[in-house]
Amino acid sequence: MILAVLYCLLWSFQTSAGHFPRACVSSKNLMEKECCPPWSGDGSPCGQLSGRGSCQNILLSNAPLGPQFPFTGVDDRESWPSIFYNRTCQCSGNFTGFD
C-alpha cells in the first residue's frame, strides 16, 4: 500500500516547462533586461509590423505590499517579471506568446 501511494505521489510531480521563451534567456537579453524577440513571420520585435504585438516597458503597481510578501527584497516573485526584464512583448488582439 505504501509503495502504491509513493508511486502515485511521485508520478504526480512533473518537470517544470519554464517561464521565459528560449529566445529571451541569452546573456545579452538578460543583461539588456529586454524580452522582445523577433517574430519569424516579419522579423520585427514581437511581430509589430504584422500587428501581433509590440515591445513595451513593464508597468508595476504602486500599491503597498501586503502581508503575503514577508520576504521583501528577497523573493523574485514580488516584482515579477521586472527582476529580469524591463521591456517585454505586449500582445494585440487574440495573439499570445512571444511567437
Side-chain angles (χ1 to χ4, degrees):
M1 180 68 177
I2 293 175
L3 286 177
V5 171
L6 184 61
Y7 174 76
C8 290
L9 187 67
L10 291 175
W11 183 73
S12 66
F13 291 112
Q14 297 178 6
T15 59
S16 174
H19 295 278
F20 301 125
R22 188 175 301 260
C24 293
V25 293
S26 69
S27 297
K28 180 181 181 254
N29 290 112
L30 292 171
M31 293 293 286
E32 293 176 352
K33 296 190 81 165
E34 184 172 291
C35 179
C36 298
W39 180 56
S40 59
D42 63 13
S44 66
C46 307
Q48 185 170 356
L49 295 177
S50 298
R52 300 177 73 87
S54 61
C55 189
Q56 297 184 3
N57 292 334
I58 293 174
L59 299 176
L60 296 176
S61 171
N62 290 332
L65 296 177
Q68 72 272 25
F69 295 114
F71 303 108
T72 302
V74 177
D75 194 343
D76 291 341
R77 294 173 292 179
E78 293 174 6
S79 300
W80 189 261
S82 69
I83 297 296
F84 300 101
Y85 302 106
N86 291 329
R87 293 175 53 82
T88 59
C89 289
Q90 176 67 42
C91 297
S92 301
N94 291 329
F95 294 107
T96 184
F98 81 98
D99 65 351

